[in-house]
Amino acid sequence: MAVQEEIEQKSFNIMISTTKLSARTVLRAVKAAFRLYQSKASQGKQSVRTLLRQNRGVSSVEISKTGIRGLERYAKKYGIDYAIRKDISEVPPRYLVFFKAPDAEAFNSAFKEYSASLLNKGNRPSVLAKLHERVQAAELPGKVRHKEQERGL
């Protein structure tokens, strides 16, 4: 019986040690996932509070409401963290974009591309205007129907 008890004791110890090992592994995996989530969560659009917590230089720029979506596209392209705040103290309200870029050159490039796209957008004629011009210029033939009846011989 002593051998039987010894085997049971050893198997019990193995079960406990593997449980401890798997618990440690799970805990490490959870910690790694949390660190990854924190690093990914603070990129792109975020709140002003989150942006300020990162302890880096934050700058701001005023922008019109119509240009917010375009700026977001260029901010994502250059990896700029930003937050948009609506200032309702004035009529019409103005929008402030707080940003934190990896370096000043990234923000300058993004804002330069954004400004160029706004200027190009103003120069392009609208599609509806082009369509209206083409309809006016085209001579549409009148509806003429010729019915011919075939007679079998």
Side-chain angles (χ1 to χ4, degrees), residues 28-43:
R28 283 188 197 132
V30 168
K31 284 182 181 179
F34 185 68
R35 282 193 303 268
L36 182 66
Y37 172 75
Q38 281 183 330
S39 68
K40 294 287 182 187
S42 62
Q43 292 179 348

Side-chain angles (χ1 to χ4, degrees), residues 41-100:
S42 62
Q43 292 179 348
K45 187 174 183 178
Q46 50 196 273
S47 69
V48 176
R49 178 179 286 174
T50 307
L51 194 65
L52 292 174
R53 276 189 204 152
Q54 295 176 1
N55 293 332
R56 294 191 199 166
V58 175
S59 303
S60 68
V61 146
E62 187 175 336
I63 191 169
S64 65
K65 182 178 181 175
T66 57
I68 291 175
R69 179 68 76 190
L71 182 65
E72 287 178 350
R73 187 176 72 181
Y74 291 106
K76 285 179 186 176
K77 180 179 176 182
Y78 284 93
I80 297 171
D81 299 338
Y82 62 96
I84 299 173
R85 174 67 57 104
K86 182 178 180 180
D87 183 13
I88 57 173
S89 64
E90 297 179 14
V91 176
R94 61 184 197 153
Y95 293 85
L96 295 172
V97 177
F98 295 91
F99 61 91
K100 175 187 62 72

